[in-house]
Amino acid sequence: MSKSRMKSSLYCSTALLILLAPTRWANRFAESRTSSHPALLLGTAWYPEQWPESRWETDLSLMHEAGIHVVRVGEFAWSRMESEEGHYDLDWLDRAIALAAKHQIYTVVGTPTAAPPAWLTQKYPETLRTAEDGRVVQHGNRQQFNWANPKYREFARKIAEQMAHRFGHNPNVLGWQIDNEYSEVSFDSRTRAQFQQWLKERYGTLDNLNARWTTEYWSQSYTAWDQIPIQVKYGNPGLLLSWMRFVSDTWRSYQKNQLDVIRANSDSGQFVTTNTMGAYDGFDHYTVLQDLDMAAWDDYVGEGHLDPVKNGAAHDLTRGFKEKNFWVMETQPGHVNWADINNSLDKGEVRAMAWHAIGHGADTVSYWQWRSAMNGQEQYHGTLLGADGTPVPLYPEVAQVGKEFEKASAVLAGTTVQSEVALLHSYESRWAIQWQPHNKNYDPKEEFLSYYGPLRAISQSVDILQPTSNLSHYKLVVAPGLNVLSEAAAKNLIAYVEGGGHLVLGQRSAMKDEDNSLQPERQPGPLAEFLGGRVEQYYALIGPVPLEGKWGAGECPLWAELLSAKNAATEVLMRYGKSNGWLDGQPAAITRQVGKGRVTYIGAWLDPKTMQQAAKWMTDTSAVKTPLPSVPEGVEVSVRQGEHGAVFVIINFAKTAQTFPLSRPMKDVLEGGEKTSVSLPVYGVAVLLAAH
Ligand code: GAL
C-alpha cells in the first residue's frame, strides 16, 4: 500500500475524530496545498448547487473512496452566485470547498461566464449573441452571450472579481478555469464595427488593406471602413483570415478581462487556465492561451473507441500550447450524450484512456461528471454515480486509476515529455486550406495525422508546436501543412536548418503569406532557394497516382505536387508513376543537404505504408532514436523524463494480448518488482521506470 493510500484509510478510520474537529483538519489539509498533493491528480466535475447540502458529505466520501483529489466547481452556477444583479452569494461555494477539503479534495474554481443568468440577458439584451443568420440567441441553453460585448464583460469581470476575492487566497483552491470551452461568436452590428476598428489598427489605411487583399478583384475595393463585412466562408481569403484573427484576439481580451481580476486577487500559486477542445479550430489557441499559466482540455471520444493516434495528437497539441504539462479537465466516464451513437468505452478502456493522457504529459485527469443532474440537457451522459446517488459499474475502474495515480505519483513527479521530433501546426494554415480545399477530401487534420502517426510510433514522443517556437534542440522538424507562412516563421525555419536541423515540408507548404495572399514565388516561397527546388504545379486527384522511389512503391491518393530539382545537390527521393501525363515520371519528394542541415519537401499525400517508410527515412536521416524498441503493433509507448530516469507508459491498444521483451530490466511502478518483459491484456497498462 502506498503512503498516501495509507493516509486515506487512516483518514476513513478516524472519521469520527474528523467530524468532531472539521476545521482543524481542513486547515491542516489546506496548509499542504502546493507541496504535498500527489503529482498525478484524479478529478471530477461536481455541481454542489444541484444537490441539497445534506448530500454533499456522502458525495465527497464516495469521491474520496474513488481516489479523487480534485473537484472542479462553479463553472455554470452564475444564477446561484448572483441571483439578482449585484446580489452575490458565494457562501455555499465556500462551504462546498471547505467540505471537499475535509475529505482531502482540492478544488478548481470555474468562472460561470459560459452560462449567464436569465435576469442579465433579459435586462441587457445586447449581451446576447447574434448567430450568423441574424437570429439573436435566447436564454435556455448555454453560451448565449456575446464575447465582444462590453456590457457582458462588465458583468463577467464583476463575478470573477467577487469569486477571486473570496477564493483567491483559499489554500484549498488549486486554480481557476475561466469560462468553459470558448466557441460561439457573434455577428451583430456592434461586433462588426469592432472588427472594422480592428482592421483599421492592423492595416492603418484602406489603401494598404485593399492592396494586401487584392480587392481590385471582383470590385471588392473599400472606400470606407464600415463597408467591410464579416464573412466566414467563400469570402476574400484576406478577409476570412482577418476575421479569424479578430475572433482569436477578442477571445484573448475576453479572457484577459477576467484573468486580470483573478490575478490581482489571488495567490500566485493558484494557476489560471481554460478548457479547450482538442482539435477544435474556432480560434487560434496560441494567441489565446499565451496569457494563461497552463493548458487544459476536454478529452471526449464520442462515438466509437479511443483512437490513440488521434487522441495522442490532441494531447500533444494541447501540451504544445504552453510547452509544458497540462490537465485533462474533462473526460468521459464511459459514454457521452451528444454523439450519434453514445456507445460506452469497453471495460478497461477508461483506465487505458487515463494513462494515455498521463503518458502524453497530463498531470490530471478529471471526469465529467460526478453525478447526472436530475433534469437539464445532459441526463444521458456518463457519470460516476447514478441518479440514485450510488456508484455505476465503471466506478471501481476509476477508483483503480485513483489508486494507481497515487502509486505512480512519486516516480512521475516533475517528469516531462522530451522529444527529438517536432511537428509544426498552424491554425492559419488549417483555415486557409479548409476555405479552399481544392479537393473535398483534403482534410488538413487528416493530413497532419498522416505524418504524426508513423513519426510518433518511431520516436515514441513528438512535440506539436507553432512555427515560431524555438526549434534549436530538435533533431527533426516536420511541417506537414504549413500553407500560410509568415515572415517570422520563415526566418525561424531557415535559422533551424542553418543550425544543422532537418526540416521536412509537407504538401501545400508555404503557398500563402500573412494576408492569405499567394506568395510571389512558387512553393515553398521563401524556402525554395534553400531547398534548391520548387513546386511547378499542384493537382487535385480524382483517383490514386502510383509513386516509386526511396520509400518503395506506393500510391498518392488525393493530392500531388509536381516538383522540380533546380540545384545539383537536390536529390529526388520519390517519383510519380504513369497518370495524367503531367506527373508521369516527375519528382514527388526532394531533399537537399544545406551545410549541416537539410530541407526535404514532400509534394504527394502518401498512402499509409509509404508514409511509414518516409517516416523511417526522416528519423534515420536525422538520427532520431526509438527509446523502447521492438514494441508490437498496437502497443503505444510514451516516455516522461525526470530525475529518477525515464518513465515509460505502455498501453496495449491491440485487439489481443501482447508480450514483448525489454532490452534492460525496469522497475514496475504499478505492480512492484523488476520486469524484463512486458505482458499486457487488451487495454492493459504498464508503467515502468528505467532508472538513470
Ligand atoms: C463539454 C462541456 C461539459 C459537458 C460535456 C459533456 O463540452 O464542457 O460542460 O457538457 O461536454 O460531454
Coordinates of all heavy atoms in Angstrom, one line a residue, residues 45 47 72 75-76 142-143 177 179-181 275-277 298-300 330-333 335-338 368-369 378 381-382, ligand 1:
A45 N -15.9 16.8 -12.2 CA -16.7 18.0 -12.2 C -17.8 17.7 -11.2 O -18.5 16.7 -11.3 CB -17.2 18.3 -13.6
Y47 N -21.2 19.5 -9.2 CA -22.1 20.7 -9.2 C -22.9 20.7 -7.9 O -24.1 20.3 -7.9 CB -23.0 20.5 -10.4 CG -22.2 20.6 -11.7 CD1 -21.8 19.4 -12.4 CD2 -21.8 21.8 -12.2 CE1 -21.0 19.5 -13.5 CE2 -21.0 21.9 -13.4 CZ -20.6 20.7 -14.0 OH -19.8 20.7 -15.1
R72 N -13.8 20.1 -9.8 CA -14.0 21.5 -10.4 C -15.4 21.9 -10.2 O -16.3 21.1 -10.4 CB -13.7 21.4 -11.9 CG -13.7 22.8 -12.6 CD -13.9 22.7 -14.1 NE -15.1 22.0 -14.4 CZ -15.4 21.6 -15.7 NH1 -14.6 21.9 -16.7 NH2 -16.5 21.0 -15.9
E75 N -18.6 26.4 -12.6 CA -18.5 26.9 -14.0 C -19.8 27.2 -14.7 O -19.8 27.8 -15.7 CB -17.5 26.2 -14.8 CG -18.0 25.0 -15.6 CD -18.1 23.8 -14.7 OE1 -18.0 23.8 -13.5 OE2 -18.4 22.7 -15.3
F76 N -20.9 26.7 -14.1 CA -22.2 27.0 -14.7 C -23.2 27.6 -13.6 O -24.4 27.5 -13.8 CB -22.8 25.8 -15.4 CG -22.0 25.4 -16.6 CD1 -21.4 24.1 -16.6 CD2 -21.9 26.2 -17.7 CE1 -20.7 23.7 -17.7 CE2 -21.1 25.8 -18.8 CZ -20.5 24.5 -18.8
R142 N -26.7 27.2 -23.2 CA -25.6 28.0 -22.6 C -24.9 28.7 -23.8 O -25.3 28.5 -24.9 CB -24.7 27.1 -21.8 CG -24.2 25.9 -22.6 CD -23.4 25.0 -21.7 NE -23.1 23.7 -22.4 CZ -22.4 22.7 -22.0 NH1 -21.8 22.8 -20.8 NH2 -22.2 21.6 -22.7
Q143 N -23.8 29.4 -23.5 CA -23.0 30.1 -24.5 C -23.9 31.0 -25.3 O -23.7 31.1 -26.5 CB -22.3 29.1 -25.3 CG -21.3 28.3 -24.5 CD -20.5 27.3 -25.3 OE1 -21.0 26.7 -26.2 NE2 -19.2 27.2 -25.0
Q177 N -10.4 28.0 -13.6 CA -10.8 27.8 -15.0 C -11.6 29.0 -15.5 O -12.7 29.2 -14.9 CB -11.6 26.5 -15.2 CG -12.1 26.3 -16.6 CD -13.0 25.2 -16.8 OE1 -12.7 24.0 -16.5 NE2 -14.2 25.4 -17.2
D179 N -14.3 30.6 -17.7 CA -15.4 30.3 -18.7 C -15.3 28.8 -18.9 O -14.8 28.0 -18.1 CB -15.2 31.1 -20.0 CG -16.5 31.3 -20.7 OD1 -16.8 30.5 -21.6 OD2 -17.2 32.3 -20.5
N180 N -15.8 28.4 -20.1 CA -15.8 26.9 -20.4 C -15.9 26.8 -21.9 O -16.8 27.2 -22.6 CB -17.1 26.3 -19.8 CG -17.1 24.8 -19.8 OD1 -16.4 24.1 -19.0 ND2 -17.8 24.2 -20.8
E181 N -14.9 26.1 -22.5 CA -14.9 25.8 -23.9 C -15.3 27.0 -24.8 O -16.4 27.0 -25.4 CB -15.8 24.6 -24.2 CG -15.2 23.3 -23.5 CD -16.0 22.1 -23.9 OE1 -17.1 22.2 -24.5 OE2 -15.5 21.0 -23.7
N275 N -10.5 25.5 -20.4 CA -10.6 24.2 -21.0 C -10.9 24.3 -22.5 O -11.9 24.8 -22.9 CB -11.6 23.3 -20.3 CG -13.0 23.9 -20.1 OD1 -13.1 25.1 -20.2 ND2 -14.0 23.1 -19.9
T276 N -10.0 23.8 -23.3 CA -10.1 23.8 -24.8 C -10.6 22.5 -25.3 O -10.9 21.6 -24.5 CB -8.8 24.2 -25.4 OG1 -7.8 23.3 -25.0 CG2 -8.4 25.7 -25.0
M277 N -10.7 22.3 -26.6 CA -11.4 21.1 -27.1 C -10.5 20.4 -28.2 O -11.0 20.2 -29.3 CB -12.7 21.6 -27.7 CG -13.7 22.0 -26.7 SD -15.3 22.4 -27.5 CE -15.1 24.1 -28.0
D298 N -10.6 19.1 -22.9 CA -11.7 18.2 -22.6 C -11.6 17.1 -23.6 O -11.8 17.3 -24.8 CB -13.0 19.0 -22.7 CG -13.1 20.0 -21.6 OD1 -12.3 20.0 -20.7 OD2 -14.0 20.9 -21.7
D299 N -11.3 15.9 -23.1 CA -11.0 14.8 -24.0 C -12.2 13.8 -24.1 O -12.4 13.0 -23.2 CB -9.7 14.1 -23.4 CG -9.2 13.0 -24.3 OD1 -9.8 12.8 -25.4 OD2 -8.3 12.3 -23.9
Y300 N -12.9 14.0 -25.2 CA -14.1 13.1 -25.4 C -13.9 12.3 -26.7 O -13.5 12.8 -27.7 CB -15.4 13.9 -25.5 CG -15.7 14.6 -24.2 CD1 -15.4 15.9 -23.9 CD2 -16.3 13.8 -23.2 CE1 -15.8 16.5 -22.7 CE2 -16.7 14.4 -22.0 CZ -16.4 15.7 -21.7 OH -16.7 16.3 -20.5
E330 N -11.7 17.6 -18.5 CA -12.9 16.8 -18.6 C -12.6 15.6 -19.4 O -11.9 15.7 -20.4 CB -14.1 17.6 -19.2 CG -14.5 18.8 -18.5 CD -15.7 19.5 -19.2 OE1 -16.3 18.9 -20.2 OE2 -16.0 20.6 -18.9
T331 N -13.2 14.5 -19.0 CA -13.2 13.3 -19.9 C -14.4 12.4 -19.6 O -15.0 12.6 -18.6 CB -11.8 12.5 -19.8 OG1 -11.8 11.5 -20.9 CG2 -11.6 11.9 -18.5
Q332 N -14.7 11.5 -20.5 CA -15.9 10.8 -20.4 C -15.8 9.6 -19.4 O -15.0 8.7 -19.6 CB -16.4 10.4 -21.7 CG -15.6 9.3 -22.5 CD -16.1 9.2 -23.9 OE1 -15.9 10.1 -24.7 NE2 -16.7 8.1 -24.2
P333 N -16.8 9.5 -18.5 CA -16.9 8.3 -17.7 C -17.7 7.3 -18.5 O -18.9 7.2 -18.3 CB -17.6 8.7 -16.4 CG -18.0 10.1 -16.7 CD -17.7 10.5 -18.1
H335 N -19.4 7.0 -21.4 CA -20.1 7.4 -22.6 C -20.4 8.9 -22.5 O -20.5 9.5 -21.4 CB -21.3 6.6 -22.9 CG -22.3 6.7 -21.9 ND1 -22.4 5.8 -20.8 CD2 -23.4 7.5 -21.7 CE1 -23.4 6.2 -20.0 NE2 -24.1 7.2 -20.6
V336 N -20.8 9.5 -23.7 CA -21.2 10.9 -23.7 C -22.7 10.8 -24.1 O -23.3 9.8 -24.1 CB -20.4 11.7 -24.7 CG1 -19.0 11.8 -24.4 CG2 -20.6 11.2 -26.2
N337 N -23.3 12.0 -24.3 CA -24.7 12.0 -24.7 C -25.0 12.7 -26.0 O -26.1 12.9 -26.5 CB -25.5 12.8 -23.6 CG -25.2 14.2 -23.6 OD1 -24.0 14.6 -23.6 ND2 -26.2 15.1 -23.5
W338 N -23.9 13.2 -26.6 CA -24.1 14.1 -27.8 C -23.6 13.5 -29.1 O -23.7 14.2 -30.1 CB -23.3 15.4 -27.5 CG -21.9 15.2 -26.9 CD1 -21.6 15.4 -25.6 CD2 -20.7 14.8 -27.6 NE1 -20.2 15.2 -25.4 CE2 -19.7 14.8 -26.6 CE3 -20.4 14.5 -28.9 CZ2 -18.4 14.4 -26.9 CZ3 -19.1 14.1 -29.2 CH2 -18.1 14.1 -28.2
W368 N -16.0 14.1 -16.3 CA -17.2 14.9 -16.4 C -18.4 13.9 -16.6 O -18.4 13.3 -17.6 CB -17.2 15.9 -17.6 CG -18.3 16.9 -17.4 CD1 -18.2 18.1 -16.9 CD2 -19.7 16.7 -17.8 NE1 -19.4 18.7 -16.8 CE2 -20.4 17.9 -17.3 CE3 -20.5 15.7 -18.3 CZ2 -21.7 18.0 -17.5 CZ3 -21.8 15.8 -18.5 CH2 -22.5 17.0 -18.1
Q369 N -19.2 13.8 -15.7 CA -19.3 14.5 -14.4 C -19.5 13.4 -13.3 O -19.7 12.3 -13.6 CB -20.4 15.5 -14.4 CG -21.8 14.9 -14.7 CD -22.9 15.9 -14.4 OE1 -22.8 16.7 -13.5 NE2 -24.0 15.8 -15.1
E378 N -28.4 17.2 -20.2 CA -27.4 16.1 -20.3 C -27.7 14.9 -19.4 O -26.9 14.2 -18.9 CB -26.1 16.7 -20.0 CG -25.7 17.8 -20.9 CD -24.4 18.5 -20.6 OE1 -24.3 19.1 -19.5 OE2 -23.4 18.4 -21.3
H381 N -25.8 11.5 -20.1 CA -24.3 11.5 -20.2 C -23.7 10.5 -19.1 O -24.3 10.3 -18.1 CB -23.7 12.9 -19.9 CG -22.4 13.1 -20.4 ND1 -21.3 12.6 -19.7 CD2 -21.9 13.7 -21.5 CE1 -20.2 13.0 -20.4 NE2 -20.5 13.6 -21.5
G382 N -22.6 9.9 -19.4 CA -21.9 9.1 -18.4 C -21.6 9.8 -17.2 O -21.2 11.0 -17.2
Ligands
GAL1 C1 -18.2 19.5 -22.5 C2 -18.7 20.6 -21.6 C3 -19.3 20.0 -20.3 C4 -20.3 18.9 -20.7 C5 -19.6 17.9 -21.5 C6 -20.4 16.7 -21.9 O1 -18.1 20.0 -23.8 O2 -17.6 21.4 -21.2 O3 -20.0 21.0 -19.6 O4 -21.3 19.4 -21.4 O5 -19.1 18.5 -22.7 O6 -19.7 15.8 -22.8

